[in-house]
Amino acid sequence: MIQLNRVSKTYLGSKHNEEVVALRDISLTIENGEIFGIVGHSGAGKSTLLRLLNGLEKPTTGSVMIQQQEISNLDNESLRQVRQKIGMIFQHFHLLWSRTVRENIAFPLEIIGLPKAIREQKVTQLLKRVGLIERADAYPSQLSGGEKQRVGIARALANDPTVLLCDEATSALDPETTQSILQLLREIHRDMGITLVLITHEMGVVRSICDRVAVMEAGQIVEMGFVEEVFSNPKHPVTQKFLQMEMHSQDQLISIELKDGFEWANLVKLAQDYRVSLEIVSGRIEAGSKRQSVVIRFIGQEADIEKARAAISVPSRSRG
Amino acid sequence: MFDQVDWQQVWIATTETFHMVIISTIFTAILGIPLGVLLVITDRGHLWENQFIYRTVGLIVNTFRAVPFIVLVLFLFPVSKLLLGTTLGTTAATIPLVAGAAPFYARLVETAIREIDRGVIEAAQVMGASRRFIIAKVLIPEALPAIVSGLTVTCVSLISFSAMAGIVGGGGLGETAYRFGFQSFNDQMLYTCGVLLILLVQIVQGIGDWIARKIDKR
């Protein structure tokens, strides 16, 4: 269990007597085996929050407990012990260029001083786990972004951590690769029961993997709860904006020419038939005028949306 | 056309140059790499922040780099006397050579290590690596191509420095070119030694580049 109790973090700014507040009075509990998302714009404090969890940052006030252990005032040696059980993956992977995939994954095992034979065995298991066994002797420069992140994940899992921290782990990847990495994280979570804490600015990532989510703004958690609840009933303006941005980004906008035989009423009927709701993004409907165009978006189940879109394109094409 | 070249003298001079350059390159690496590492890790916000060591090492390095080499040779006569009992000979010449080259090389090593992405170092810290482990397994290996290129550049400088050091008793191709060539009005001798020095630089540069390419996996 990860517990933050009234944590604040302030930095001394570049000018004297000027304090920059990164985190403001944050209390948070993350249960074992949970997938917890932290969302916020850059500068909202989510990175600082994540870095508190492995002692890269120390809180100015408050306490950070991991598995009943206060980690904010550990000495270096104990902190290193704790860190070996907290994996972390990064947006830019942070692999060692000079080492092969296999050697990169062996790195954390070398830190704890595991004998070579056991190391190799473990690395082979991990390579299989992330699906990179045939790339074992490649160097990072020869890998794609998705493959690099898989190496990062294997490396983070090498010491059988109880917690895996993901720092914008999919933000440098294309949507398809993002999905495959999220799928891998889901499988690992299922098989190992590991606690996942991920920070992201992509609501889609939260939607597809997280149990609970915290939304951050200006160093504070402005909204927190189960993903379904937060997504279906966002209360804070920041959350609402994030959700809007996600929908706009999903390429769901459809531009439609309304003509004789396919008028607004037909469109509404079609939406009802396919059990989706209709949102006008731009354009307007004037009574009497026959030729007008609107940009709309369907909202509902993905499968239904697909069918509705297919149904629209058929009549318009047949007349076009 | 080489009838006036004393090949035996040229051969002796070549071995003396090799002697000076090889020994001083080895000691330059032994001194320069730790100094370079120290100049990075003791800097503000780094692995082992220590303003006192950072400033002191920086001052020493800058001092040695500021003094012209030929003056450094004269400055270091007492040190040669103390360590080796003499200020003459090829071995004695290596002391000013190392003193001149090690600080220069330390700066090159420093630059090479600073090129490493801070995130990579942080990733190692996050995995629970100790300082010593990070230096040995992250900083040095990741910067190795640049550390090798730097040593190549330094070694080439040492070849030219060695020619100067030779004039104050170290021997070598530089001294032979001066004494047996220039001062003896023997142009053949002068140019033969010069060409050999050029060849030597080409070979060193070629080998250094080849090794750096071989180990660079980026």
Side-chain angles (χ1 to χ4, degrees):
Chain A
M1 195 162 67
I2 299 169
Q3 277 178 301
L4 272 69
N5 191 18
R6 308 211 58 181
V7 168
S8 294
K9 173 79 185 174
T10 51
Y11 297 99
L12 215 53
S14 46
K15 289 171 199 158
H16 277 296
N17 302 327
E18 182 200 21
E19 283 194 335
V20 181
V21 180
L23 295 175
R24 222 183 278 266
D25 199 21
I26 292 202
S27 295
L28 175 68
T29 302
I30 300 171
E31 302 292 340
N32 282 338
E34 201 175 10
I35 306 185
F36 193 90
I38 301 167
V39 181
H41 296 287
S42 49
K46 55 189 197 303
S47 280
T48 311
L49 182 55
L50 197 72
R51 293 161 64 92
L52 285 172
L53 302 184
N54 54 17
L56 274 177
E57 304 271 1
K58 306 240 182 240
T60 311
T61 59
S63 79
V64 181
M65 307 268 284
I66 292 185
Q67 323 293 12
Q68 317 299 335
Q69 193 173 15
E70 171 67 58
I71 72 152
S72 45
N73 52 17
L74 288 179
D75 61 74
N76 278 346
E77 191 52 39
S78 326
L79 185 60
R80 295 206 296 110
Q81 304 284 332
V82 170
R83 280 176 173 172
Q84 286 164 7
K85 288 293 172 194
I86 304 174
M88 189 169 185
I89 57 175
F90 308 88
Q91 179 174 5
H92 299 296
F93 325 119
H94 297 337
L95 304 176
L96 296 161
W97 293 102
S98 56
R99 289 176 168 234
T100 62
V101 167
R102 188 184 286 280
E103 290 163 348
N104 262 290
I105 299 173
F107 186 81
L109 301 171
E110 290 171 27
I111 294 175
I112 60 166
L114 223 54
K116 190 157 193 232
I118 303 175
R119 229 158 54 201
E120 306 245 297
Q121 213 179 339
K122 193 98 202 255
V123 169
T124 306
Q125 275 173 22
L126 287 159
L127 281 167
K128 284 187 187 144
R129 185 72 201 80
V130 299
L132 279 179
I133 196 83
E134 70 281 8
R135 304 292 275 142
D137 297 313
Y139 285 90
S141 60
Q142 301 165 316
L143 302 179
S144 70
E147 287 172 329
K148 283 182 200 158
Q149 196 55 287
R150 282 169 190 271
V151 179
I153 291 171
R155 182 177 72 173
L157 295 177
N159 280 330
D160 302 309
T162 52
V163 179
L164 179 61
L165 308 176
C166 310
D167 184 357
E168 297 273 9
T170 57
S171 299
L173 304 173
D174 62 69
E176 211 171 302
T177 313
T178 296
Q179 284 313 315
S180 76
I181 292 294
L182 292 179
Q183 181 57 33
L184 177 62
L185 289 175
R186 257 194 297 266
E187 287 168 19
I188 287 161
H189 174 259
R190 186 195 61 207
D191 300 344
M192 297 177 60
I194 196 171
T195 309
L196 285 176
V197 183
L198 44 101
I199 63 173
T200 180
H201 61 268
E202 298 168 309
M203 275 304 211
V205 170
V206 173
R207 187 200 292 275
S208 75
I209 192 170
C210 292
D211 301 321
R212 281 198 301 151
V213 61
V215 182
M216 289 192 71
E217 169 79 354
Q220 286 175 301
I221 294 179
V222 293
E223 188 158 2
M224 177 156 63
F226 288 99
V227 168
E228 311 88 74
E229 286 168 19
V230 172
F231 274 60
S232 58
N233 185 18
K235 294 198 178 65
H236 196 275
V238 173
T239 317
Q240 290 166 358
K241 213 162 160 201
F242 261 110
L243 286 168
Q244 264 173 18
M245 268 166 29
E246 187 218 356
M247 298 207 314
H248 280 291
S249 71
Q250 279 190 350
D251 192 29
Q252 290 179 333
L253 304 182
I254 310 164
S255 176
I256 295 173
E257 291 273 296
L258 296 175
K259 316 172 188 179
D260 278 338
F262 193 77
E263 290 158 44
W264 180 245
N266 300 71
L267 196 57
V268 174
K269 172 83 168 51
L270 184 143
Q272 279 170 351
D273 288 349
Y274 289 97
R275 297 188 308 271
V276 292
S277 359
L278 201 55
E279 183 191 356
I280 304 176
V281 179
S282 65
R284 59 207 159 123
I285 319 293
E286 280 169 46
S289 169
K290 290 284 183 206
R291 289 189 164 269
Q292 38 203 330
S293 71
V294 287
V295 176
I296 60 132
R297 173 169 54 220
F298 292 126
I299 299 166
Q301 298 287 323
E302 249 173 66
D304 294 336
I305 292 172
E306 276 310 305
K307 283 180 208 155
R309 289 178 71 130
I312 289 180
S313 60
V314 173
S316 59
R317 211 182 295 141
S318 64
R319 270 198 310 275
Chain B
M1 98 179 247
F2 290 115
D3 55 317
Q4 286 181 46
V5 177
D6 178 354
W7 288 105
Q8 202 183 345
Q9 177 56 40
V10 168
W11 173 247
I12 291 169
T14 308
T15 55
E16 282 168 348
T17 294
F18 268 104
H19 183 151
M20 282 189 283
V21 171
I22 290 171
I23 291 182
S24 55
T25 301
I26 291 169
F27 278 96
T28 296
I30 290 172
L31 277 175
I33 293 174
L35 281 177
V37 170
L38 215 52
L39 279 170
V40 178
I41 63 169
T42 57
D43 196 4
R44 197 186 298 273
H46 222 290
L47 283 182
W48 191 42
E49 182 176 330
N50 187 323
Q51 284 295 302
F52 177 72
I53 295 181
Y54 180 71
R55 293 236 174 88
T56 310
V57 174
L59 185 70
I60 293 171
V61 164
N62 287 347
T63 306
F64 275 90
R65 290 191 57 200
V67 179
F69 181 69
I70 199 73
V71 179
L72 198 62
V73 173
L74 305 175
F75 276 8
L76 289 174
F77 273 166
V79 178
S80 302
K81 188 95 187 163
L82 188 75
L83 289 178
L84 301 166
T86 176
T87 60
L88 292 171
T90 13
T91 309
T94 57
I95 286 177
L97 284 175
V98 172
F104 172 69
Y105 185 48
R107 286 291 181 201
L108 294 182
V109 171
E110 179 194 3
T111 315
I113 294 176
R114 282 190 197 275
E115 287 290 307
I116 301 170
D117 188 344
R118 280 304 291 271
V120 174
I121 299 167
E122 208 171 86
Q125 285 178 301
V126 159
M127 287 184 262
S130 65
R131 247 180 238 138
R132 197 184 305 171
F133 192 90
I134 292 175
I135 292 167
K137 301 283 186 169
V138 180
L139 299 189
I140 304 279
E142 288 287 291
L144 201 57
I147 289 176
V148 168
S149 318
L151 194 59
T152 309
V153 171
T154 310
C155 186
V156 168
S157 299
L158 277 170
I159 291 170
S160 85
F161 282 175
S162 80
M164 271 195 271
I167 292 172
V168 287
L173 286 166
E175 191 221 13
T176 298
Y178 182 67
R179 197 145 64 92
F180 294 90
F182 182 73
Q183 284 189 331
S184 312
F185 303 100
N186 184 341
D187 280 357
Q188 287 186 12
M189 198 68 175
L190 178 64
Y191 288 111
T192 303
C193 290
V195 169
L196 281 177
L197 282 169
I198 294 169
L199 263 176
L200 192 56
V201 167
Q202 293 294 340
I203 291 167
V204 166
Q205 189 68 48
I207 293 173
D209 288 349
W210 180 77
I211 296 174
R213 242 197 333 271
K214 205 77 182 164
I215 57 178
D216 194 352
K217 305 297 182 187
R218 260 168 296 186

